[in-house]
Amino acid sequence: WDGTAFSGQVVDVGEDSEDESGTLPSNTGKFASIAIVDGFEYIAYYDAAGANLMLASGLPGNYAVEVVDADGDVGRWTSIAVVDGIVHIAYQDVTGEAVKVASGSPGSWTRTVVDGGKMVGADTAILGSTNGLVVAYQDSYNNDILIATQNGDSWNTQTLGGVDGDGALGFHNELVEVNGTVYAATYNF
Protein backbone atom coordinates (compact mmCIF):
# COMPACT_ATOMS: atom_id res chain seq x y z
CA TRP A 1 0.00 0.00 0.00
CA ASP A 2 1.54 3.26 -1.07
CA GLY A 3 -1.29 5.44 0.22
CA THR A 4 -3.24 5.11 -2.99
CA ALA A 5 -3.09 1.51 -4.22
CA PHE A 6 -1.77 -1.94 -3.41
CA SER A 7 1.03 -3.52 -5.38
CA GLY A 8 2.24 -7.08 -5.08
CA GLN A 9 5.03 -9.40 -6.01
CA VAL A 10 5.90 -13.08 -5.93
CA VAL A 11 8.16 -13.86 -2.96
CA ASP A 12 8.64 -17.62 -3.46
CA VAL A 13 7.16 -20.08 -5.96
CA GLY A 14 8.54 -23.28 -4.43
CA GLU A 15 9.15 -26.47 -6.36
CA ASP A 16 6.85 -29.38 -7.07
CA SER A 17 8.03 -32.76 -5.79
CA GLU A 18 7.40 -36.38 -6.77
CA ASP A 19 6.28 -39.37 -4.75
CA GLU A 20 4.77 -42.77 -5.57
CA SER A 21 1.39 -41.15 -6.30
CA GLY A 22 2.82 -38.64 -8.78
CA THR A 23 3.54 -34.93 -8.71
CA LEU A 24 2.89 -32.98 -5.53
CA PRO A 25 2.34 -29.29 -6.26
CA SER A 26 4.50 -27.03 -4.09
CA ASN A 27 1.53 -25.03 -2.79
CA THR A 28 4.14 -22.67 -1.38
CA GLY A 29 2.70 -19.86 0.67
CA LYS A 30 -0.03 -21.64 2.57
CA PHE A 31 -0.71 -20.45 6.12
CA ALA A 32 1.24 -17.21 5.55
CA SER A 33 1.71 -14.61 8.27
CA ILE A 34 3.69 -11.37 8.23
CA ALA A 35 5.44 -9.01 10.63
CA ILE A 36 7.02 -5.72 9.60
CA VAL A 37 9.55 -3.93 11.79
CA ASP A 38 10.93 -0.58 10.60
CA GLY A 39 10.03 -1.49 7.01
CA PHE A 40 11.84 -4.88 7.17
CA GLU A 41 9.44 -7.73 6.36
CA TYR A 42 9.27 -11.24 7.80
CA ILE A 43 6.87 -13.62 6.06
CA ALA A 44 6.42 -17.10 7.54
CA TYR A 45 4.65 -19.73 5.45
CA TYR A 46 4.28 -23.43 4.65
CA ASP A 47 5.80 -25.21 1.64
CA ALA A 48 3.39 -28.15 1.18
CA ALA A 49 5.54 -30.18 -1.25
CA GLY A 50 8.56 -29.97 1.04
CA ALA A 51 6.41 -30.02 4.20
CA ASN A 52 8.65 -27.28 5.60
CA LEU A 53 8.31 -24.08 7.60
CA MET A 54 9.70 -21.27 5.45
CA LEU A 55 10.67 -17.64 6.03
CA ALA A 56 11.11 -14.87 3.50
CA SER A 57 12.76 -11.80 4.96
CA GLY A 58 13.96 -8.51 3.56
CA LEU A 59 12.76 -5.34 1.97
CA PRO A 60 10.13 -5.16 -0.76
CA GLY A 61 11.65 -6.53 -3.95
CA ASN A 62 14.64 -8.10 -2.18
CA TYR A 63 13.80 -11.16 -0.08
CA ALA A 64 15.98 -13.95 1.23
CA VAL A 65 14.12 -17.26 1.50
CA GLU A 66 15.10 -20.02 3.93
CA VAL A 67 13.86 -23.22 5.52
CA VAL A 68 13.30 -22.66 9.25
CA ASP A 69 12.18 -26.20 10.15
CA ALA A 70 12.22 -29.35 8.00
CA ASP A 71 11.86 -32.02 10.70
CA GLY A 72 8.85 -33.95 9.36
CA ASP A 73 5.66 -32.27 8.18
CA VAL A 74 6.05 -28.88 9.87
CA GLY A 75 5.00 -25.31 9.25
CA ARG A 76 1.24 -25.27 8.99
CA TRP A 77 -0.80 -22.52 10.68
CA THR A 78 2.04 -20.00 11.09
CA SER A 79 1.82 -16.93 13.26
CA ILE A 80 4.74 -14.51 13.61
CA ALA A 81 5.81 -11.87 16.12
CA VAL A 82 9.00 -9.86 16.46
CA VAL A 83 9.94 -8.95 20.02
CA ASP A 84 13.07 -6.92 20.80
CA GLY A 85 14.58 -7.87 17.43
CA ILE A 86 13.94 -11.61 17.89
CA VAL A 87 11.61 -13.31 15.40
CA HIS A 88 9.20 -15.86 16.90
CA ILE A 89 7.13 -18.15 14.66
CA ALA A 90 4.42 -20.40 16.13
CA TYR A 91 3.36 -23.32 13.93
CA GLN A 92 1.98 -26.83 13.85
CA ASP A 93 4.22 -29.90 13.72
CA VAL A 94 1.88 -32.46 12.13
CA THR A 95 4.40 -35.32 12.31
CA GLY A 96 5.22 -34.72 15.97
CA GLU A 97 1.63 -33.83 16.89
CA ALA A 98 2.77 -30.63 18.55
CA VAL A 99 2.74 -26.87 18.45
CA LYS A 100 6.23 -25.40 18.17
CA VAL A 101 7.90 -22.00 18.28
CA ALA A 102 10.98 -21.18 16.21
CA SER A 103 12.88 -18.22 17.67
CA GLY A 104 15.91 -16.38 16.36
CA SER A 105 16.84 -14.45 13.27
CA PRO A 106 17.31 -15.34 9.61
CA GLY A 107 19.91 -18.10 9.42
CA SER A 108 19.89 -18.91 13.15
CA TRP A 109 16.91 -20.68 14.75
CA THR A 110 16.03 -22.46 17.96
CA ARG A 111 12.95 -24.65 17.78
CA THR A 112 10.96 -25.47 20.92
CA VAL A 113 7.99 -27.78 21.46
CA VAL A 114 5.35 -25.75 23.30
CA ASP A 115 2.78 -28.53 23.74
CA GLY A 116 2.01 -31.90 22.22
CA GLY A 117 -0.84 -34.33 21.94
CA LYS A 118 -3.18 -35.95 19.50
CA MET A 119 -4.19 -33.41 16.82
CA VAL A 120 -2.70 -30.39 18.63
CA GLY A 121 -1.36 -27.20 17.08
CA ALA A 122 -3.64 -25.91 14.33
CA ASP A 123 -4.70 -22.26 14.08
CA THR A 124 -1.80 -20.80 16.04
CA ALA A 125 -1.60 -17.19 17.16
CA ILE A 126 1.49 -15.76 18.88
CA LEU A 127 1.84 -12.60 20.92
CA GLY A 128 4.86 -11.01 22.51
CA SER A 129 3.18 -9.73 25.67
CA THR A 130 4.75 -7.72 28.48
CA ASN A 131 5.11 -10.99 30.44
CA GLY A 132 6.65 -13.05 27.62
CA LEU A 133 5.36 -15.06 24.69
CA VAL A 134 1.78 -16.29 24.58
CA VAL A 135 0.57 -18.84 22.01
CA ALA A 136 -3.06 -19.77 21.29
CA TYR A 137 -3.77 -22.93 19.29
CA GLN A 138 -6.34 -25.58 18.68
CA ASP A 139 -6.68 -28.98 20.30
CA SER A 140 -8.56 -30.58 17.40
CA TYR A 141 -9.07 -33.85 19.24
CA ASN A 142 -11.01 -32.19 22.09
CA ASN A 143 -12.23 -29.16 20.08
CA ASP A 144 -10.74 -26.67 22.53
CA ILE A 145 -8.62 -23.54 22.39
CA LEU A 146 -5.41 -23.86 24.38
CA ILE A 147 -3.24 -21.02 25.63
CA ALA A 148 0.45 -21.53 26.38
CA THR A 149 2.39 -18.87 28.29
CA GLN A 150 6.16 -18.88 28.30
CA ASN A 151 7.75 -19.22 31.73
CA GLY A 152 11.51 -19.04 31.26
CA ASP A 153 12.48 -22.18 29.31
CA SER A 154 9.14 -23.91 29.87
CA TRP A 155 5.52 -23.31 28.90
CA ASN A 156 2.39 -23.30 31.06
CA THR A 157 -0.74 -24.42 29.20
CA GLN A 158 -4.40 -24.02 29.97
CA THR A 159 -7.64 -24.87 28.22
CA LEU A 160 -10.10 -22.06 27.71
CA GLY A 161 -13.74 -23.08 27.80
CA GLY A 162 -16.48 -21.49 25.77
CA VAL A 163 -18.64 -18.74 27.20
CA ASP A 164 -21.56 -21.14 27.21
CA GLY A 165 -19.45 -24.29 27.71
CA ASP A 166 -20.73 -25.51 24.37
CA GLY A 167 -19.28 -26.03 20.92
CA ALA A 168 -15.93 -26.56 19.27
CA LEU A 169 -13.41 -23.81 19.95
CA GLY A 170 -9.94 -22.93 18.72
CA PHE A 171 -10.60 -21.97 15.11
CA HIS A 172 -9.06 -18.79 13.64
CA ASN A 173 -7.45 -17.69 16.90
CA GLU A 174 -6.22 -14.16 17.57
CA LEU A 175 -4.41 -12.64 20.56
CA VAL A 176 -4.07 -9.00 21.62
CA GLU A 177 -2.81 -7.29 24.75
CA VAL A 178 -4.41 -4.18 26.18
CA ASN A 179 -2.97 -2.53 29.30
CA GLY A 180 -1.20 -5.73 30.36
CA THR A 181 -4.21 -8.01 29.89
CA VAL A 182 -4.12 -10.64 27.14
CA TYR A 183 -7.37 -11.27 25.24
CA ALA A 184 -8.03 -14.29 23.02
CA ALA A 185 -10.63 -14.38 20.25
CA THR A 186 -11.73 -17.63 18.63
CA TYR A 187 -14.46 -18.96 16.39
CA ASN A 188 -16.97 -21.29 18.08
CA PHE A 189 -17.60 -23.90 15.37
Side-chain angles (χ1 to χ4, degrees):
W1 179 257
D2 65 7
T4 305
F6 281 101
S7 62
Q9 71 180 78
V10 174
V11 174
D12 185 6
V13 294
E15 294 182 26
D16 294 346
S17 65
E18 300 286 331
D19 73 0
E20 62 278 353
S21 64
T23 301
L24 299 172
S26 69
N27 288 323
T28 296
K30 283 187 165 184
F31 309 109
S33 59
I34 188 170
I36 302 172
V37 178
D38 297 328
F40 197 86
E41 300 175 7
Y42 301 93
I43 306 166
Y45 56 97
Y46 178 63
D47 171 18
N52 299 325
L53 172 63
M54 306 293 292
L55 180 75
S57 58
L59 299 171
N62 186 22
Y63 296 98
V65 174
E66 68 180 289
V67 175
V68 175
D69 192 348
D71 187 17
D73 185 354
V74 293
R76 297 180 190 199
W77 305 104
T78 70
S79 181
I80 191 167
V82 181
V83 181
D84 297 328
I86 305 295
V87 179
H88 304 279
I89 306 168
Y91 57 101
Q92 184 183 34
D93 176 348
V94 174
T95 303
E97 293 191 297
V99 62
K100 293 167 93 175
V101 171
S103 297
S105 60
S108 177
W109 298 98
T110 300
R111 290 166 291 283
T112 304
V113 173
V114 172
D115 191 15
K118 189 172 187 173
M119 300 172 63
V120 166
D123 286 308
T124 66
I126 191 167
L127 173 70
S129 80
T130 54
N131 296 317
L133 295 177
V134 178
V135 178
Y137 52 99
Q138 184 185 49
D139 173 347
S140 300
Y141 187 74
N142 294 304
N143 289 322
D144 287 325
I145 180 175
L146 300 175
I147 303 291
T149 306
Q150 189 178 30
N151 184 10
D153 290 336
S154 64
W155 292 84
N156 298 326
T157 61
Q158 63 179 331
T159 301
L160 298 184
V163 173
D164 56 9
D166 189 30
L169 300 175
F171 296 90
H172 313 295
N173 300 312
E174 294 295 333
L175 295 169
V176 295
E177 182 177 31
V178 178
N179 297 325
T181 300
V182 175
Y183 296 86
T186 190
Y187 171 61
N188 182 339
F189 182 71

